């Protein structure tokens, strides 16, 4: 056997070999190192040794350079922010002021302005008291001086303010803050329970499954899966940016052509967009796809009216299921094969809902923050409710309905702007079950501008309150169990749709800054720091790559509470803006795989043999020529950023409260108010999301 030479065994022995050597260098720039044995050179050297004064000086200079660079970066950011404030707020360059269309919006803005003016007046008063030496800030339990102690009119007014504040203002704020904190804790407990339910689902690997492979043919002829008749609907309205990729994705769904019909439900009022969509539909129909184009002359009821009109066609009676995709959704070819088989053997199943995925989630900070919210909604809320309750809110798209369930529940109604939630609640009251598939994802697009996102959130939060008022009698008189009624009313509507925006706006945007001027009602540390951070941590768990954005997410959610509170009040009291439906603007982005699929399908279409009559070629060329002419002549829409007055006013209110907190040396309160105020300022100046100017 070859001898094993392992010199590390020799070095590992305790016996030391060799003669100790001392190396001395005359140059003071070098250190002195003693080598005692062969292994001494490989031992770690103490940090305190081997450093002279010159090296320490270089380390200090390096650290100072880094500190100066950090300060310079902060100064640059601050200077840029001040420049933007000057440009947008003072000179109004490239921006437009947000217009309030209802008296309710103007009233809320006036109330916030009153709070701001009052806070500024109190702050001025407190600053004067601070420099006068009335050290209330160091002692919140300051003894109020007697009449004999008065040293002037200003001091007398200040003492009168302290008395009035302690006797009349503080009790009201304390009562309201305790109520909001109680709601906050209840909602946090609900989030905790949902998260635990999601962990249990992951641990037990619970998910809806299909028995066997329904598309695998057996030996006996005709004993394989019988493909049911499926209707696919694509409702759209002035969707110039996304209509092409949506129609292309749906037309490539893997399903027998004779058992699939695609309806393109176009509500566009722009004739040029109508021509473009017609040309796209005609192109796919020439390739053998069973697709039709529908346009309503009377456009009432928004999306619900569009779907209701399409379901009234006589040929719909031949179909068993209907799949719905909004104009920016791009399903995979196997979407129907992953969803429709779940209906087999379960006649009580009315809906199969798929998850959303996003092609532009990393486009900007706004899309990243939206991704956090929606990941929690689908991964936690929808999945837990689907597994344990067989009920959740239909997301309006990327789902398959049993047509019998739609008809049994009364069909699409035009009474609210959340027709998807409306039909889901009515189907649940009629005993239909829902299934959510977290593994089946459909690509879509997130709003990239704050204006589009704000309008979308207004509709999503005003509609549920509008629906709550309308369906409350039906829920109470329904035949479902009492615990399902409680879940529907207390959790689904009140807690998650009403209480959340109410306490978030009232507690963090109104009460917290007011407590800086009324220290008797000061909020505890755990309310403004510990619990919100824990809840944000839970919300961000389904999107682990977004952990660096946990602080911006917390601040932005508080900022959005203004819009959500405004929308909730609008829907609850049936105000004008609750019926407003504005189509969310899209950029028309597609993933790389989608672009490759479209290119591949186009190449196949060119190479396939012609099976249609020759007259269709001239018609198709004319439509393509018209499409190119419209796209070349249509001027680009001019886009500008907006200034949002309510957000700006709240920004100044919070910054004013942060100054008061600084005088009182309240650390966490000061930083929270400062950063929250800056966030409101950025949002109010429309500096988050897509920048137009």
């Amino acid at each position: 056997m070859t001898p094993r030479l392992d010199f590390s065994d020799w070095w590992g022995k305790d016996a030391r070999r060799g003669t100790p050597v001392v190396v001395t260098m005359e140059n003071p720039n070098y250190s002195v190192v003693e080598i005692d044995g062969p292994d001494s050179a490989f031992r770690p050297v103490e940090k305190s040794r081997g450093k002279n004064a010159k090296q320490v000086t270089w380390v200090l200079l390096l650290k100072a350079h880094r500190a100066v660079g950090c300060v310079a970066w902060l100064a640059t950011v601050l200077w840029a922010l001040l420049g933007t404030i000057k440009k947008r707020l003072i000179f109004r360059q490239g921006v437009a002021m947000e217009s309030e269309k209802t008296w309710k919006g103007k009233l809320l803005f006036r109330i916030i302005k009153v709070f701001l003016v009052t806070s500024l007046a109190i702050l001025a008063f407190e600053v004067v008291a601070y420099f006068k030496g009335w050290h209330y800030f160091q002692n919140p339990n300051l003894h109020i001086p007697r009449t004999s102690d008065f040293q002037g009119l200003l001091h007398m007014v200040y003492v009168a303010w302290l008395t009035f504040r302690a006797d009349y203002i503080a009790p009201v704020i304390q009562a309201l803050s305790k109520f909001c904190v109680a709601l906050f804790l209840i909602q946090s407990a609900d989030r905790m329970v949902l998260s635990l339910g999601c962990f249990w689902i992951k641990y037990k690997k619970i998910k809806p499954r299909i028995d066997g492979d329904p598309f695998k043919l057996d030996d006996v002829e005709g004993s394989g899966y019988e493909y049911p008749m499926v209707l696919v609907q694509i409702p759209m309205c002035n969707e110039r940016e996304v209509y092409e990729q949506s129609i292309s994705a749906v037309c490539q769904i893997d399903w027998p052509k004779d058992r699939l019909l695609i309806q393109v439900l176009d509500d566009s009022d722009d004739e040029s967009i109508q021509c473009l969509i017609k040309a796209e539909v005609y192109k796919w129909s020439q390739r053998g796809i069973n697709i039709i184009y529908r346009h309503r002359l009377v456009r009432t009821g928004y999306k619900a009216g569009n779907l209701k009109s399409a379901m009234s066609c006589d040929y719909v009676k031949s179909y068993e299921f209907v799949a719905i995709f909004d104009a920016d959704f791009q399903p995979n070819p196997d979407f129907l094969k992953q969803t429709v088989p779940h209906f087999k053997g379960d006649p009580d199943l009315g809906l199969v809902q798929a998850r959303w995925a996003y092609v532009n989630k990393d486009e900007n900070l706004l899309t990243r923050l939206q991704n956090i919210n929606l990941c929690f909604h689908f991964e936690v809320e929808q999945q837990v409710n689907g597994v344990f309750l067989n009920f959740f809110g239909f997301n309006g798209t990327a789902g398959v309905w049993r047509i019998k369930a739609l008809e049994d529940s009364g069909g699409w109604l035009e009474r609210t702007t959340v027709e998807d939630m409306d039909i889901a609640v009515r189907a649940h009251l009629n005993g239909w079950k829902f299934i959510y598939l977290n593994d089946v994802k459909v690509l879509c697009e997130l709003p990239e501008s704050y204006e589009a996102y704000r309008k979308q959130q207004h509709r999503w939060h005003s509609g549920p309150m509008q629906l709550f008022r309308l369906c409350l009698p039906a829920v109470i008189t329904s035949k479902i169990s009492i615990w399902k009624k409680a879940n529907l009313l207390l959790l689904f509507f009140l807690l998650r749709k009403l209480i959340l925006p109410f306490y978030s706006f009232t507690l963090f945007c109104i009460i917290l800054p007011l407590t800086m001027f009324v220290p008797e009602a000061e909020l505890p540390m755990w309310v403004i720091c510990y619990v919100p951070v824990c809840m944000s941590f839970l919300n961000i768990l389904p999107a682990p790559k977004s952990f660096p954005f946990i602080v911006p997410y917390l601040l932005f959610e508080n900022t959005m509470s203004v819009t959500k509170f405004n929308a909730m009040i609008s829907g609850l009291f049936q105000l004008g803006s609750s019926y407003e439906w504005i189509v969310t603007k899209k950029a028309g982005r597609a993933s790389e795989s989608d672009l490759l699929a479209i290119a591949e399908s186009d190449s196949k279409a060119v190479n396939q043999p012609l099976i249609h009559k020759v007259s269709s070629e001239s018609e198709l060329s004319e439509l393509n020529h018209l499409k190119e002419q419209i796209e070349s002549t249509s001027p680009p829409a001019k886009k500008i950023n907006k200034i949002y007055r309510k957000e700006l006013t709240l920004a100044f209110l919070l910054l004013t409260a942060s100054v008061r907190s600084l005088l009182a040396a309240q650390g966490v309160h000061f930083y929270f108010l400062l950063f929250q105020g800056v966030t409101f300022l950025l949002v109010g100046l429309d500096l988050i999301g897509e920048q137009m100017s």
Side-chain angles (χ1 to χ4, degrees):
M1 179 180 295
T2 307
R4 180 172 174 268
L5 300 178
D6 193 352
F7 298 100
S8 62
D9 293 339
W10 300 353
W11 294 352
K13 296 180 180 179
D14 295 335
R16 297 183 178 181
R17 300 176 182 272
T19 305
V21 179
V22 178
V23 181
T24 305
M25 306 295 295
E26 295 182 358
N27 192 340
N29 292 332
Y30 293 90
S31 304
V32 178
V33 180
E34 294 184 3
I35 302 178
D36 188 10
D39 57 342
S40 299
F42 302 97
R43 293 178 181 173
V45 182
E46 297 180 5
K47 293 184 179 180
S48 60
R49 302 183 62 186
K51 289 185 179 180
N52 54 26
K54 191 171 183 179
Q55 289 176 323
V56 173
T57 303
W58 277 109
V59 170
L60 294 177
L61 287 175
L62 181 60
K63 292 183 178 180
H65 180 267
R66 291 177 179 175
V68 171
C70 182
V71 172
W73 179 81
L74 292 175
T76 304
V77 172
L78 180 60
W79 184 258
L81 178 60
L82 293 176
T84 305
I85 294 174
K86 177 182 177 182
K87 179 180 178 181
R88 294 193 176 184
L89 197 57
I90 300 177
F91 295 108
R92 304 286 177 86
Q93 296 179 3
V95 293
M97 183 65 70
E98 172 207 10
S99 60
E100 295 289 352
K101 299 182 180 179
T102 61
W103 65 268
K104 177 264 312 176
K106 296 179 181 178
L107 178 62
L108 181 60
F109 175 63
R110 290 172 182 172
I111 293 174
I112 296 174
K113 281 202 301 185
V114 169
F115 281 123
L116 174 61
V117 173
T118 306
S119 301
L120 287 173
I122 298 175
L123 177 63
F125 203 32
E126 296 279 5
V127 170
V128 172
Y130 179 79
F131 286 105
K132 284 285 186 178
W134 306 329
H135 300 292
Y136 179 80
F137 300 100
Q138 281 76 23
N139 184 14
N141 299 319
L142 177 68
H143 172 68
I144 299 177
R146 294 170 296 181
T147 307
S148 59
D149 299 330
F150 287 169
Q151 300 175 359
L153 179 62
L154 184 60
H155 196 178
M156 182 173 59
V157 173
Y158 182 66
V159 173
W161 155 247
L162 293 181
T163 306
F164 178 78
R165 184 181 72 187
D167 295 340
Y168 299 101
I169 298 179
V172 176
I173 296 180
Q174 285 177 340
L176 184 58
S177 63
K178 289 179 180 179
F179 177 67
C180 290
V181 168
L183 297 179
F184 180 33
L185 294 178
I186 293 173
Q187 198 271 338
S188 301
D190 175 62
R191 287 293 175 101
M192 182 69 71
V193 171
L194 288 174
S195 300
L196 292 176
C198 182
F199 289 145
W200 180 258
I201 291 173
K202 296 294 183 182
Y203 176 71
K204 290 293 185 179
K205 298 181 180 180
I206 303 173
K207 64 178 182 179
R209 289 182 172 85
I210 304 172
D211 296 334
D213 186 1
F215 302 100
K216 183 178 180 181
L217 296 177
D218 296 337
D219 296 336
V220 182
E221 184 179 358
S223 62
Y225 181 76
E226 182 179 354
Y227 290 86
M229 300 288 286
V230 178
L231 176 69
V232 180
Q233 296 177 331
I234 313 176
M236 57 180 63
C237 180
N238 297 325
E239 307 279 4
R240 179 190 294 270
E241 296 82 7
V242 294
Y243 75 92
E244 189 172 1
Q245 61 195 35
S246 176
I247 295 176
S248 174
V250 172
C251 288
Q252 298 179 63
I253 289 180
D254 185 12
W255 203 256
K257 295 181 180 179
D258 59 335
R259 310 193 73 80
L260 180 69
L261 174 64
I262 301 173
Q263 287 181 320
V264 178
L265 312 177
D266 183 24
D267 259 4
S268 303
D269 54 5
D270 189 335
E271 293 185 359
S272 63
I273 299 179
Q274 295 178 24
C275 293
L276 294 174
I277 298 175
K278 285 181 182 178
E280 185 69 18
V281 171
Y282 188 80
K283 179 184 75 174
W284 285 100
S285 66
Q286 292 301 303
R287 299 181 182 180
I289 303 298
N290 194 11
I291 182 173
I292 60 175
Y293 173 86
R294 280 181 55 86
H295 179 75
R296 293 192 299 163
L297 298 178
V298 181
R299 298 168 54 252
T300 58
Y302 302 114
K303 181 180 176 181
N306 197 359
L307 294 173
K308 181 179 180 181
S309 174
M311 293 298 293
S312 63
C313 298
D314 293 335
Y315 56 79
V316 174
K317 298 178 181 178
S318 304
Y319 292 85
E320 186 178 356
F321 304 103
V322 55
I324 303 173
F325 300 101
D326 282 350
D328 59 316
F329 279 71
Q330 307 161 44
N332 292 326
D334 61 348
F335 176 82
L336 292 181
K337 289 187 175 181
Q338 290 183 313
T339 54
V340 174
H342 287 277
F343 290 96
K344 185 178 180 182
D346 192 353
D348 295 330
L349 183 60
L351 167 67
V352 174
Q353 173 72 58
R355 180 175 177 169
W356 298 1
Y358 316 103
V359 296
N360 61 336
K361 63 181 180 180
D362 298 325
E363 186 64 27
N364 53 46
L365 179 60
L366 179 61
T367 57
R368 291 177 185 272
L369 299 179
Q370 292 179 67
N371 179 58
I372 295 173
N373 254 343
L374 291 172
C375 282
F376 182 86
H377 170 69
F378 284 104
E379 184 84 19
V380 180
E381 291 181 345
Q382 296 292 77
Q383 188 170 209
V384 171
N385 290 327
V387 169
F388 295 105
L389 301 176
N390 292 123
F391 167 72
F392 47 82
F394 174 47
N395 293 116
T397 178
V400 181
W401 276 94
R402 190 189 296 270
I403 295 181
K404 183 181 178 182
L406 291 177
E407 296 173 347
D408 184 49
S409 304
W412 300 103
L413 298 182
E414 307 169 9
R415 57 182 183 174
T416 69
T417 57
V418 284
E419 76 294 327
D420 46 7
M421 185 181 295
D422 189 1
I423 188 64
V425 170
R426 287 184 281 118
H428 179 58
L429 296 179
N430 283 281
W432 292 97
K433 296 191 303 183
F434 302 164
I435 282 181
Y436 171 72
L437 303 178
N438 193 57
D439 297 334
V440 181
K441 300 179 181 180
V442 181
L443 285 175
C444 63
E445 187 176 320
L446 293 168
E448 296 182 6
S449 67
Y450 178 69
E451 179 189 9
Y453 179 64
R454 188 171 181 265
K455 292 178 178 178
Q456 182 196 69
Q457 292 299 304
H458 185 278
R459 176 166 53 87
W460 285 5
H461 286 81
S462 65
M465 289 296 95
Q466 195 178 7
L467 177 62
F468 174 69
R469 287 181 50 131
L470 295 173
C471 72
L472 180 60
V475 174
I476 296 175
T477 59
S478 64
K479 297 180 180 179
I480 60 176
S481 61
I482 187 66
W483 69 271
K484 287 186 177 181
K485 292 181 181 179
N487 170 72
L488 194 59
L489 294 177
L490 300 180
L491 296 181
F492 185 76
F493 277 115
L494 292 180
L495 183 60
R496 297 166 189 166
K497 303 297 188 297
L498 187 147
I499 290 178
L500 177 59
F502 171 77
Y503 85 76
S504 182
F505 171 74
T506 308
L507 186 62
F508 295 105
C509 300
I510 301 296
I511 294 179
L512 178 59
L514 289 183
T515 57
M516 295 299 100
F517 303 98
V518 186
E520 295 85 355
E522 181 180 333
L523 293 175
M525 187 80 67
W526 57 269
V527 173
I528 65 172
C529 182
Y530 302 142
V531 177
V533 169
C534 292
M535 291 302 102
S536 299
F537 179 79
L538 288 179
N539 288 354
I540 215 168
L541 279 180
K545 293 183 179 180
S546 302
F547 268 105
F549 303 96
I550 185 170
V551 174
Y553 170 75
L554 173 61
L555 298 174
F556 182 70
E557 280 301 294
N558 291 335
T559 306
M560 282 304 300
S561 65
V562 182
T563 299
K564 296 176 181 179
F565 177 82
N566 193 14
M568 182 267 294
I569 296 296
S570 174
L572 189 62
F573 296 101
Q574 300 288 311
L575 302 178
S577 61
S578 63
Y579 295 95
E580 186 180 22
W581 180 296
I582 300 177
V583 178
T584 305
K585 295 179 182 179
K586 288 102 177 175
R589 302 189 185 276
S591 62
E592 184 178 354
S593 59
D594 298 323
L595 296 176
L596 293 175
I598 293 174
E600 183 180 357
S601 65
D602 290 341
S603 63
K604 289 182 179 179
V606 172
N607 297 328
Q608 68 181 7
L610 297 177
I611 58 175
H612 303 284
K613 55 184 180 181
V614 181
S615 60
S616 64
E617 296 180 358
S618 60
E619 296 175 1
L620 185 60
S621 62
E622 290 179 3
L623 286 172
N624 289 332
H625 178 70
L626 177 62
K627 178 179 177 180
E628 294 175 358
Q629 184 178 3
I630 291 173
E631 291 179 344
S632 61
T633 57
S634 58
K638 185 179 180 180
K639 300 178 181 179
I640 58 176
N641 291 101
K642 287 189 176 182
I643 292 179
Y644 301 98
R645 297 185 295 178
K646 288 193 290 291
E647 283 80 356
L648 279 180
T649 309
L650 278 170
F652 294 131
L653 173 62
L654 290 164
L655 292 175
T656 303
S658 69
V659 175
R660 170 62 177 82
S661 177
L662 181 62
L663 293 176
Q666 295 172 316
V668 175
H669 293 74
F670 165 72
Y671 289 115
F672 182 86
L673 290 168
L674 176 64
F675 291 129
Q676 190 65 72
V678 171
T679 305
F680 267 103
L681 182 63
L682 295 176
V683 172
L685 293 174
D686 201 3
L687 291 175
I688 184 173
E690 184 182 13
Q691 297 299 298
M692 310 298 181
S693 56

